[in-house]
Amino acid sequence: MSQTLKHYLQFSDLTADEYAYLFTRSALIKSKFKAYDKHQPLTDRTLAMIFEKASTRTRISFEAGMYQMGGAVVHLTTGDSQLGRAEPIEDSAKVISRMVDLVMIRTYEQTKIERFAANSRVPVINGLTNEFHPCQILADLFTFIEHRGDVSLPLDCLKGKVVAWVGDGNNMANTWLQAADLLGFTVHVSTPSGYEVNQAVAGVSNNHCFKVFTDPLQACRDADLVTTDVWTSMGYEAENEARRKAFAAWCVDEAMMAVAKPDALFMHCLPAHRGEEVQAEVIDGAQSVVWDEAENRLHAQKALMEFLLLGRL
Ligand code: CP
Ligand code: NVA
């Protein structure tokens, strides 16, 4: 079966209707996984995973997911491939995409993954760049729908909701903005000064999808979901000390959760630093769904890989 070449480089690469399909499909794939019911639509397909930054969740969810679907995986890093010895990205894309069916890349600049995709014969998935982390938001929204909605009408429970983003205006924040723009919810963003989201980098034309708050507590007021991320993302380690000072008040604590809706959920893409961006009482508390969120990377990305290779089934 041939499928038009479709990449997943940022959240806005899919339509709302395609997301509705993916969320419902993720629920089906998850229920089959839980029942030990084989789901192997990708037999004889190979995924190449290229990591230029560290990973636990992304690697294991893509690798285990591909094996569970009957496929195989090749794992490359900058250090153990010619990518680290300056082989042009375009040449690497041409070679790798002749040998595998799908490529997942975790790298630095978004332009790098775009150059790879422009020279690839097979779908390319963004496993995190400096600018975006679409697979994470795919899993986060699926988790929200599982907890607060109905997987057969997956987009209904997102419409009009408020997501509070407390922390860095980073790859996660940018992707939340794109998701809000496409799926009809609002992000209340609170970042320290100097670390604001940049609407142009986030790639959202509609500034109604987010509202900026200087006080993180006010951003959390009446939120349906409170979420945060590390103060220092991978690649920005040289700024660590300055960031520790600037972000000290951007720690999601019980006071912030108390002003959110009583049934508000807490999410964090992980890895987390208790006592920095989140208090232990919050991430380990009753409103936190971080373990479901991490697990759902597996199910949502299986649905995504199947969709990119085979279309709607
Ligand atoms: N959340 C996430 O992408 O985790 P890893 O860095 O462990 O892959
Ligand atoms: N913003 C973080 C996310 C890690 C999954 C980073 O880019 O390091």
Side-chain angles (χ1 to χ4, degrees):
M1 194 190 317
S2 84
Q3 165 75 5
T4 345
L5 184 58
K6 214 182 230 316
H7 300 297
Y8 192 54
L9 305 184
Q10 47 186 300
F11 197 87
S12 58
D13 284 347
L14 298 182
T15 64
D17 189 52
E18 288 169 328
Y19 280 108
Y21 168 78
L22 282 182
F23 295 135
T24 304
R25 191 76 186 164
S26 303
L28 174 82
I29 289 172
K30 182 170 182 173
S31 68
K32 289 181 82 176
F33 174 81
K34 297 288 180 188
Y36 292 97
D37 181 2
K38 270 198 171 60
H39 180 72
Q40 304 204 313
L42 300 186
T43 306
D44 295 334
R45 306 289 179 120
T46 305
L47 165 72
M49 304 192 297
I50 302 170
F51 283 97
E52 299 207 289
K53 291 176 178 172
S55 168
T56 297
R57 279 144 288 268
T58 303
R59 176 169 179 186
I60 196 163
S61 52
F62 272 106
E63 190 159 341
M66 196 61 185
Y67 286 131
Q68 288 161 16
M69 290 198 292
V73 178
V74 178
H75 177 254
L76 292 174
T77 66
T78 317
D80 64 17
S81 67
Q82 301 290 4
L83 288 160
R85 298 181 62 253
E87 180 165 14
I89 196 101
E90 290 79 5
D91 294 3
S92 303
K94 284 176 186 152
V95 172
I96 293 168
S97 70
R98 283 187 179 225
M99 299 184 190
V100 302
D101 301 279
L102 188 60
V103 179
M104 189 284 308
I105 308 181
R106 169 168 286 196
T107 189
Y108 292 86
E109 297 79 18
Q110 182 73 9
T111 50
K112 232 171 151 178
I113 199 171
E114 284 166 0
R115 283 165 55 207
F116 191 103
N119 289 277
S120 173
R121 287 183 169 190
V122 302
V124 177
I125 298 173
N126 182 345
L128 181 145
T129 56
N130 290 349
E131 290 85 351
F132 299 115
H133 197 2
C135 293
Q136 183 68 55
I137 304 300
L138 177 69
D140 292 5
L141 292 170
F142 175 55
T143 308
F144 187 85
I145 293 160
E146 269 191 323
H147 281 268
R148 293 286 176 262
D150 173 351
V151 289
S152 62
L153 292 168
L155 303 188
D156 291 19
C157 78
L158 300 175
K159 294 240 170 355
K161 292 289 190 301
V162 171
V163 173
W165 176 264
V166 175
D168 194 13
N170 64 10
N171 44 10
M172 284 289 298
N174 289 338
T175 314
W176 272 115
L177 258 50
Q178 285 200 351
D181 195 12
L182 190 69
L183 302 179
F185 58 93
T186 308
V187 187
H188 284 186
V189 183
S190 179
T191 69
S193 152
Y195 300 94
E196 293 87 355
V197 282
N198 178 326
Q199 201 183 327
V201 175
V204 291
S205 51
N206 162 16
N207 61 10
H208 300 301
C209 67
F210 73 103
K211 248 169 120 170
V212 174
F213 293 79
T214 45
D215 178 355
L217 185 103
Q218 295 310 328
C220 295
R221 196 170 288 288
D222 296 325
D224 298 279
L225 168 65
V226 177
T227 185
T228 185
D229 188 9
V230 291
W231 289 343
T232 305
S233 286
M234 293 180 280
Y236 297 83
E237 290 79 3
E239 302 173 12
N240 209 13
E241 272 322 297
R243 283 172 174 266
R244 288 175 76 82
K245 289 189 189 112
F247 282 78
W250 277 263
C251 171
V252 177
D253 58 17
E254 288 175 304
M256 294 183 196
M257 292 307 296
V259 299
K261 292 237 177 85
D263 69 343
L265 298 174
F266 172 78
M267 290 191 195
H268 188 310
C269 63
L270 305 176
H273 301 81
R274 289 170 178 76
E276 293 189 11
E277 75 274 7
V278 61
Q279 253 184 359
E281 289 76 5
V282 171
I283 192 168
D284 300 318
Q287 287 165 279
S288 172
V289 291
V290 296
W291 313 122
D292 289 344
E293 183 188 0
E295 177 191 327
N296 282 337
R297 293 289 303 278
L298 173 70
H299 311 302
Q301 288 162 194
K302 283 166 80 175
L304 175 70
M305 290 193 282
E306 184 192 76
F307 177 68
L308 293 178
L309 287 175
L310 305 176
R312 294 184 195 223
L313 300 177

